[in-house]
Structure formats: C-alpha cells, structure tokens
C-alpha cells in the first residue's frame, strides 16, 4: 500500500484479501461538503502488480517444506523438484504451451536477452535481426549490442498509433535474417501488435519469430498451439506473482544457446540452481490469472474506456496508442499543447506524476529523467510526436483492485492537477477542498 499500512478486506469473490494483494490504501481524511474521502489508488500495474494470496501461499509452502535443491535426488530435492515442475505446468497452461517448452529465468529482461543472444550464438557469423522501433529496452539494447558484434539490425517503423505494418516486415526480410522480435503489447502506449500476421510472414521466409509478451500474458488470450511463435518472454510480477521470476518459451525443435555456464539446470539451457520459491509463486499467479482472465479483461476494458472518456474533456491531454488494438488495462496520454498556450514551458509527465503521487494516486510517465534533465519518450518520438509532446507522457494501468470509484476520483484529481499546472481548458472540480496534500 502507498501509505504503508495493512488491512484485510473482503474481495469481490467473497474471499478475504490482504491490502498487499488489493493495492488499496486506507482512505485519507480530507472530506469535502459531501463527506467523500481521498483514496490511495494504485494505477501502475504495467510497472508491477501486488502479489496475490495464492502466490504468497505457494512461496511459503516452499520455504517451509519444499526448500531442497531440485537437482538433488533425495526426497528433499524431489519435493522441491515437484514444486518446480508444477509451476512449469501452470505457466505453460497460461499460454497454451507444453511444460517442456517453459524455461525459467530471473524475469522478462533475462528472457528477452536470452531469446536474442541465444539465437545469435547459434550462428558462427553475424546475421540480420529485425525488431520494431517501439521495443522494450531489454530488446532494443540487446539489439544495439548485437550491432557492435557485427550484426545488422532493422528497426521497423510504426504508424501514429504505434503499430507495425506486416508489409514493412515483408520488405525488411533478407536471405540472412535469423530472427524477428516484436513486442506484443507496448508498455508505454498500450498498442497490441498483429503478431499472428507478423509471425506468418517470418515463418514463410523460414525465420524464427520471438514475441515479448510481458504485458499481454494473463491479460489477453495467448495460445501457442496455434500462434506462429517460436520464442516468447514472460514475467511473473506483471501477473500478480513475485518479482525475480520469468520464463522463456522455446518451441520444441528450436535451437537456442545457453547464456550461463555451469550446471545442467533447465534441460542444460540455463545453469544455476532455480529460485524455487519465486518460481512456485509465479506458477500459482499464472494459474489464478488464467482462471479469471475472461471476466477480468472485460471488466478492465470497461474501466479503461471510462477513464479515456473522463479525461477527454480536459483538453490538456491527448490519448496515445491504438484505440482498438489495445491492452485492456491500459490508458495513456501525452500533452495536447493547445491546452497550454499561455505557458512558455508546458509541464512534463514527471510533473504530473509527482502531483498525482502527492494526491495518493500512483501512475507513471514514459519520459526519462537523467541528471535532472528530462528526455522525451523514444516510443512517442518513433510514433511521430514532437519532443514537447513526448516529454508529457502519462500512463494509467489498471488492475484487480481498480474500481469505478477509483476511476471517477482519478478523473477529478487529474483535472484539478491540470488546472493548477496552468491548463486553460481543464474543468475545475465542484469541490476542490476534497483534494488534500496537493
């Protein structure tokens, strides 16, 4: 919780949930004339999610009774190995993969690195790699590294909503193209790529296809029994599991080299004793999110659209990303400069994030701050936005704890923050006194 307190409450399904799982804070006093209370609201689920009760229980079970080395052949090791293989089954079921195709990692970043570098190490000479211009840095920087090793990298352009054209991929392929890597759901702007069409193009040319599904797994259906995908990256803490666990799906028959030297863990592809407790938590979280995905995706989509509609009246923010092909829990914006005509320097996304944090609402910005200097979001620049717009990126990502009252309150607070920062078009709150600690 944002205010550091813990409390228990009954969830929507009649189950008791800890505040660690719900992400909700104890309401902060500061009522206006209507007696409303300010809530601590977590809207940054694309960054990380609160760990679910099932994951915590699985982790505790390992700590208490399955703590052996899973490579050991005695009963202590067997118990640990059983927990490991159960998690492999659970994670595989989430994406329609055979358990033998799931290889555990320390997270999505390692999985992304492994996909690119593991394929690269299969080739004695540098080859050609294709990625998009809106990849996560775990892919983008690994591609940069491969360039220093002699590889040629093509970065596909995207349109104004951040989508890759299948025709551009077809035109980019070469006789020595070894791998195509495309992000499934873009974390900053929420755009979902046409991975089925892109994968078919790659396969028709005999090229391996990797997908970064860190943002989409558990939020959108993924069935690798039918999708033309050879490698796919996952992360535990994006689906209410613990931080420090992830996985790389490797389709049966695909050759990939290990990055780590040592023991024979993970079918001799990833050396090092597995973090059984966090992996068990990952598996439990995967099982739960798979069970509730259909209902939860529909609910979050409705709340997401309510947020878009609520903030459309401000005149200070413009939506970013694809309005149709979009992550169900994700709403993103950047500054609409027409709403800030009287200001020489419009606020940045970080200004908005700090103001909302003071109001106990957690969101994020796509712009980066290094040594006190703001830099615009590379993703928005790739989509054709101006630097002054890209500096003002703002992302809201919803989750299990998000309710309609949270969305409505957030809309009110955002409009008030925009007004205070100098936006001429933002509507004022009916009861500004309800906002405290701004």
């Amino acid at each position: 919780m944002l205010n550091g307190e813990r409390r228990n409450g009954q969830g929507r399904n009649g189950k008791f949930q800890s505040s660690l799982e719900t992400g909700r804070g104890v309401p902060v006093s500061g009522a206006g004339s209507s007696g409303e209370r300010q809530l601590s609201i977590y809207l940054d689920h694309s960054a990380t999610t609160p760990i679910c009760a099932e994951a915590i229980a699985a982790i505790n079970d390992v700590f208490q009774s399955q703590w052996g080395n899973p490579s050991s052949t005695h009963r202590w090791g067997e118990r640990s190995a059983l927990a490991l293989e159960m998690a492999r089954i659970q994670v595989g079921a989430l994406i329609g993969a055979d358990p033998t195709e799931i290889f555990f990692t320390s997270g999505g970043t390692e999985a992304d690195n492994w996909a690119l570098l593991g394929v690269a190490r299969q080739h004695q000479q540098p080859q050609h790699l294709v990625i998009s211009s809106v990849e996560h840095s775990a892919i983008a920087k690994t591609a940069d590294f491969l360039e220093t090793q002699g590889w040629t990298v093509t970065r596909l352009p995207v349109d104004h909503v951040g989508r890759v054209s299948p025709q551009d991929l077809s035109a980019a392929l070469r006789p020595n193209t070894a791998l195509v890597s495309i992000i499934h759901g873009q974390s900053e702007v929420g755009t979902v790529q046409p991975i089925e069409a892109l994968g078919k193009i790659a396969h028709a040319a005999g090229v391996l296809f990797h997908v970064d599904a860190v943002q989409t797994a558990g939020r959108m259906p993924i069935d690798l029994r039918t999708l033309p995908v050879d490698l796919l990256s996952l992360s535990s803490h994006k689906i209410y599991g613990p931080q420090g666990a992830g996985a790389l799906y490797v389709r049966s028959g695909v050759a990939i080299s290990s990055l780590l030297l040592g023991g024979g863990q993970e079918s001799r592809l990833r050396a090092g004793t597995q973090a059984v407790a966090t992996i068990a938590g990952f598996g439990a979280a995967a099982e739960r999110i798979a069970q509730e995905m259909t209902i939860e995706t529909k609910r979050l989509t409705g709340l997401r659209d309510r947020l878009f509609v609520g903030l459309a009246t401000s005149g200070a923010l413009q939506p970013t990303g694809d309005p149709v092909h979009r992550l169900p829990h994700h709403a993103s914006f950047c500054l609409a400069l027409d709403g800030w005509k009287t200001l020489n320097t419009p606020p940045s996304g970080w200004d908005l994030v700090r103001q909302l944090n003071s109001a106990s609402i957690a969101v994020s910005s796509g712009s980066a701050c290094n040594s006190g200097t703001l830099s615009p979001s590379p993703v928005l620049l790739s989509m054709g936005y101006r630097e002054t717009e890209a500096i003002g990126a703002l992302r809201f990502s919803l989750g299990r704890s998000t309710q309609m009252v949270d969305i409505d309150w957030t809309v009110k607070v955002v409009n008030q923050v925009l007004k205070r920062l100098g936006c001429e078009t933002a509507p004022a709150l009916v009861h500004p006194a309800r906002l405290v600690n701004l």
Side-chain angles (χ1 to χ4, degrees):
M1 286 175 54
L2 295 180
N3 60 8
E5 297 184 46
R6 290 188 176 186
R7 64 188 176 97
N8 293 325
Q10 194 166 10
R12 288 184 295 277
N13 298 321
K15 297 178 180 179
F16 281 87
Q17 301 166 295
S18 69
S19 61
L20 188 65
E21 178 180 350
T22 63
R24 298 294 297 274
V26 176
V28 179
S29 61
S33 60
S34 68
E36 285 190 31
R37 295 175 297 171
Q38 184 188 25
L39 298 173
S40 295
I41 301 172
Y42 184 76
L43 296 177
D44 201 16
H45 290 82
S46 281
T48 196
T49 54
I51 187 169
C52 66
E54 290 84 351
I56 293 173
I59 292 169
N60 287 336
D61 284 346
V62 171
F63 283 150
Q64 292 171 7
S65 61
Q66 297 171 304
W67 42 262
N69 188 320
S71 297
S72 299
T73 56
H74 47 62
R75 68 179 66 176
W76 288 267
E78 289 173 350
R79 285 198 293 263
S80 183
L82 181 62
L84 193 66
E85 295 314 307
M86 175 57 70
R88 210 180 302 277
I89 292 170
Q90 292 167 319
V91 172
L94 175 63
I95 57 174
D98 190 273
T100 60
E101 299 173 311
I102 300 298
F103 299 87
F104 289 117
T105 67
S106 62
T109 291
E110 183 190 337
D112 281 346
N113 274 255
W114 189 10
L116 269 60
L117 298 177
V119 170
R121 290 184 178 184
Q122 289 285 308
H123 299 271
Q124 293 184 347
Q125 299 297 325
Q127 303 295 316
H128 177 230
L129 167 69
V130 179
I131 65 172
S132 80
S133 58
V134 293
E135 295 298 316
H136 187 276
S137 58
I139 292 293
K141 291 186 177 181
T142 306
D144 292 344
F145 168 76
L146 285 174
E147 281 186 310
T148 69
Q149 306 302 301
W151 279 63
T152 304
V153 178
T154 297
R155 296 166 179 83
L156 299 175
V158 294
D159 59 21
H160 193 63
V161 295
R163 227 160 124 85
V164 170
S165 165
Q167 290 74 24
D168 286 343
L169 174 58
S170 294
L173 295 177
R174 305 176 186 178
N176 70 331
T177 303
L179 178 67
V180 174
S181 179
I182 302 293
I183 194 167
H184 191 187
Q186 216 293 319
S187 61
E188 286 188 40
V189 298
T191 297
V192 174
Q193 301 293 346
I195 60 166
E196 183 171 5
L198 298 172
K200 287 180 178 178
I201 292 169
H203 280 188
V207 177
L208 293 176
F209 186 49
H210 167 251
V211 171
D212 178 345
V214 165
Q215 290 292 334
T216 50
R219 295 182 173 118
M220 303 178 67
I222 296 174
D223 189 349
L224 294 174
R225 292 167 295 189
T226 58
L227 285 174
V229 174
D230 302 297
L231 302 154
L232 183 137
S233 301
L234 300 169
S235 176
S236 166
H237 75 101
K238 307 295 187 181
I239 62 168
Y240 305 91
Q243 297 169 354
L248 180 66
Y249 158 83
V250 182
R251 183 178 293 279
S252 178
V254 172
I256 188 170
S257 297
S258 174
L259 300 186
L260 303 176
L261 302 178
Q265 293 86 357
E266 296 301 295
S267 301
R268 301 187 182 278
L269 284 178
R270 185 185 183 272
T273 301
Q274 297 95 333
V276 179
T278 53
I279 290 171
F282 181 17
E287 182 175 70
R288 174 175 168 183
I289 205 167
Q291 293 170 347
E292 66 183 24
M293 180 167 48
T294 301
I295 295 174
E296 185 66 356
T297 295
K298 182 178 180 180
R299 188 186 74 86
L300 290 176
T301 300
L303 292 175
R304 176 204 70 189
D305 293 345
R306 187 179 183 91
L307 181 60
F308 270 124
V309 171
L311 292 179
T313 60
S314 72
L317 300 172
Q318 56 179 324
T320 58
D322 195 308
V324 177
H325 306 288
R326 188 173 194 91
L327 292 168
H329 72 300
H330 189 291
S332 58
F333 303 84
C334 69
L335 292 181
L337 297 182
D338 288 345
W340 308 88
K341 291 180 178 178
T342 62
L343 294 181
N344 292 328
T345 305
S348 68
W350 280 106
D351 293 326
L352 299 173
V353 169
R354 285 193 294 266
Q355 289 282 334
L356 291 172
N357 182 57
S358 295
S360 297
I361 298 175
V363 300
S364 65
S365 171
S367 55
C369 183
N370 296 308
S371 300
T373 301
L374 279 170
S375 58
S377 161
V379 170
L380 290 178
L381 293 178
S382 297
M383 293 165 59
Y385 287 90
R386 293 171 286 183
E387 287 193 12
T388 49
E389 296 172 311
I391 286 176
L394 194 63
R395 179 186 74 185
F396 303 80
S397 45
L398 289 50
R400 283 184 184 140
S401 65
T402 312
Q403 302 292 329
M404 188 181 299
V405 64
D406 301 322
I407 298 300
D408 293 345
W409 180 257
T410 297
V411 169
K412 291 180 181 181
V413 175
V414 170
N415 282 325
Q416 181 68 2
V417 166
L418 293 171
K419 200 75 173 177
R420 292 189 179 192
L421 290 175
C423 177
E424 307 93 72
T425 57
L429 285 178
V430 177
H431 300 293
R434 293 177 189 167
L435 295 177
V436 298
N437 298 327
L438 275 179

